[in-house]
Amino acid sequence: VHVDELAALLPPGAVLTDPASVAAYRHDWARDPAAETPAAVVRARSTADVSTVLRWACARAVPVVPRGAGSSLSGGASGVAGGITLSLELMREVTVDPANRLVVAQPGAITADVKAAAAEHGLWYPPDPSSFELSSIGGNVATNAGGLCCVKYGVTADYVLGAEVVLADGTVVRLGGATVKDVAGLPLLKLFVGSEGILGVITEVTLRLLPPVTTSATTVAVFHSVAAAAEAVVAITRRIRPSVVELMDHTTINAVEDAFRMGLDRQSGALVILRSDAPGDAAAAETAVIEAECRAQGAEELYTTTDPDEGDAFMHARRSALPALERLGPLLIEDVGVPLPALPALVAGIGDIAEARATRIALMAHAGDGNTHPVIVHEAGNEDARTRALLAFDDVMALAIGLGGTITGEHGVGRLKASWLSRQLGDDVVLLTKRVKDALDPTGVLNPGVLLR
Ligand SMILES: Cc1cc2nc3c(=O)[nH]c(=O)nc-3n(C[C@H](O)[C@H](O)[C@H](O)COP(=O)(O)OP(=O)(O)OC[C@H]3O[C@@H](n4cnc5c(N)ncnc54)[C@H](O)[C@@H]3O)c2cc1C
């Protein structure tokens, strides 16, 4: 790769090639052992830089990996040997437009900064992946990120009104915008939301904002088993729409306690955190339903607080679950989801897989969405343990598909699950996906190996 040629087309300092810098962009958060070191990293400062990189790469068939903050859990932003990792991390401008109740952000803006900018104008950007203090807004749009509030407020896609996208050949297109209702043309904007960097590079997003809501009550329910907790979730969500329904199993609770000492009950089999943000008396009515259904499923303990700080502390505990589990050893992180009534069968099946493969699987879940993160923990340097963990990883995806579910609810297919996509979608849909990819990126430069193999 003639990186000097590319460097000459870009502002000084945009291209990094020294070994330490490129090595830092080999992995994303998934730490895929198969990740490769890119030939160069370009830190774009403008849409023009992005366009220059893609025009150059497309003409020479050089792979380009778009990268936001690198918090991908599916290997979507990991490096490709001989390729360019195109980082958007320096494009961070955020402008709130209160009159239109929207925010325009450059892709590298951290999700938390977008939320904070909206809050300064008394507005709310709901999507809240647990990684919101790490992840970029462009990465959120590219993965259609979910989070804790999705159960009531939807996923990133529900807030995307417009985007500027640079196509594989360097062409810049603008899709959608400030108009709330707009059906002119095919819904191409939606095509790029969740496209995992394989169709274009997002260089600006326009996001809808809401008036803020206040959480009225947080309930923590302790169960003897994950199965009972899952049954309670199904029963509750059949009747009401809480604003948060998060679950942690025994292993996860103890990992959080070991790492951060948050005062969770170490003896519990499972813990479900539920919140209501219904206004006035409605919150008490929702909480009554939550408590009644938890009791009906044999909850051992129920604790409800109306103190927002105390409620936030429980949310913080849940958000700390993955970093806490990372201390136990190498992880394989699943993201399987099922239709809600199948949630108890999914968690029971995951328990069976852990036993059959003699491997440890911790569980946390955006349970109200039927979206679970079974986390397979194995022993570092133990090849046999890693093999069993990989078999369990496949078993869990097969289980979810068998229950009518998905291999990924929010993290994306990335490189780690690309070989599984046809098992879920079928060959015809994968072929259709390839035709879309070929139409937009005929040379196949954008994020090769992600989503499609
Ligand atoms: C502790 C932790 C908790 C997490 N919790 C959640 C959660 O609750 N919900 C959730 O959905 N995810 C979660 N994630 C996963 C991750 O944070 C999300 O997938 C996030 O959206 C990725 O954003 P990023 O900026 O880090 O993107 P990256 O990791 O840099 O990239 C992710 C993918 O998007 C593509 N991409 C990035 N930027 C662009 C762009 N501008 N244009 C085109 N393509 C682009 C990349 O090529 C890659 O395929 C978590 C991760 C961690 C580490």
Side-chain angles (χ1 to χ4, degrees):
V1 190
H2 299 292
V3 177
D4 294 351
E5 200 183 87
L6 175 62
L9 302 171
L10 291 165
V15 181
L16 308 176
T17 51
D18 63 285
S21 297
V22 291
Y25 290 81
R26 177 178 168 206
H27 290 287
D28 54 27
W29 212 276
R31 302 198 180 90
D32 178 10
E36 298 167 341
T37 306
V41 174
V42 175
R43 291 190 298 172
R45 287 187 181 273
S46 65
T47 301
D49 289 354
V50 173
S51 175
T52 300
V53 171
L54 286 174
R55 216 176 318 117
W56 178 87
C58 188
R60 287 155 191 80
V62 174
V64 175
V65 175
R67 180 170 173 125
S71 71
S72 168
L73 293 174
S74 60
S78 55
V80 171
I84 306 290
T85 289
L86 176 53
S87 170
L88 288 312
E89 72 199 285
L90 300 180
M91 294 177 65
R92 289 193 178 207
E93 259 170 50
V94 179
T95 312
V96 177
D97 174 352
N100 278 308
R101 223 161 64 193
L102 55 80
V103 59
V104 177
Q106 287 190 315
I110 299 300
T111 316
D113 293 342
V114 173
K115 287 167 98 57
E120 268 176 38
H121 291 267
L123 291 165
W124 182 38
Y125 175 64
D128 60 347
S130 291
S131 52
F132 76 110
E133 286 167 317
L134 309 168
S135 66
S136 75
I137 201 74
N140 290 171
V141 173
T143 55
N144 190 9
L148 282 65
C149 77
C150 299
V151 65
K152 183 161 183 181
Y153 293 98
V155 294
T156 303
D158 298 314
Y159 295 87
V160 182
L161 276 178
E164 180 185 74
V165 180
V166 184
L167 304 179
D169 65 1
T171 309
V172 182
V173 294
R174 293 188 76 87
L175 303 164
T179 310
V180 176
K181 290 177 72 185
D182 180 359
V183 294
L186 286 178
L188 295 177
L189 173 63
K190 295 285 182 196
L191 185 60
F192 289 93
V193 180
S195 64
E196 300 191 42
I198 73 163
L199 300 181
V201 178
I202 298 157
T203 45
E204 186 189 281
V205 289
T206 302
L207 305 163
R208 207 157 60 91
L209 301 175
L210 298 184
V213 289
T214 317
T215 296
S216 311
T218 305
T219 302
V220 180
V222 173
F223 294 87
H224 67 278
S225 71
V226 181
E231 293 287 0
V233 167
V234 173
I236 292 163
T237 50
R238 194 177 287 153
R239 293 180 59 188
I240 57 164
R241 250 158 60 121
S243 56
V244 166
V245 186
E246 293 291 321
L247 181 153
M248 293 194 276
D249 76 345
H250 179 79
T251 307
T252 309
I253 294 164
N254 280 279
V256 170
E257 273 310 295
D258 289 344
F260 306 113
R261 310 229 174 276
M262 293 196 170
L264 305 177
D265 179 355
R266 280 183 178 274
Q267 308 308 319
S268 8
L271 185 151
V272 184
I273 304 167
L274 301 116
R275 300 188 104 175
S276 168
D277 62 4
D281 294 345
E286 284 196 348
T287 301
V289 171
I290 288 169
E291 292 186 346
E293 293 295 351
C294 287
R295 264 191 217 102
Q297 297 303 329
E300 292 175 334
E301 237 180 273
L302 275 171
Y303 176 70
T304 296
T305 176
T306 52
D307 174 354
D309 292 340
E310 203 181 356
D312 288 347
F314 286 114
M315 297 297 283
H316 185 64
R318 166 61 187 89
R319 286 203 176 91
S320 309
L322 190 54
L325 287 167
E326 282 181 332
R327 298 181 177 207
L328 301 183
L331 307 178
L332 295 174
I333 302 160
E334 294 274 13
D335 177 36
V336 291
V338 288
L340 263 171
L343 184 65
L346 179 70
V347 298
I350 290 165
D352 294 344
I353 291 167
E355 211 176 301
R357 297 293 184 193
T359 193
R360 199 166 171 198
I361 308 184
L363 187 78
M364 58 182 136
H366 306 301
D369 298 317
N371 182 198
T372 67
H373 300 316
V375 177
I376 305 167
V377 189
H378 56 98
E379 199 188 319
N382 180 338
E383 261 318 297
D384 178 52
R386 179 165 169 81
T387 306
R388 280 183 282 111
L390 286 168
L391 290 168
F393 191 72
D394 284 355
D395 290 348
V396 170
M397 285 191 282
L399 171 69
I401 293 172
L403 291 168
T406 177
I407 57 172
T408 174
E410 56 180 21
H411 295 164
V413 176
R415 291 192 167 78
L416 295 184
K417 291 177 186 162
S419 62
W420 270 80
L421 193 60
S422 63
R423 295 272 295 267
Q424 180 182 330
L425 301 184
D427 291 341
D428 286 348
V429 176
V430 170
L431 198 62
L432 175 62
T433 309
K434 282 190 173 139
R435 285 167 61 193
V436 172
K437 165 76 172 167
D438 288 346
L440 272 80
D441 178 17
T443 6
V445 290
L446 276 168
N447 229 356
V450 164
L451 210 142
L452 294 167
R453 285 171 76 89

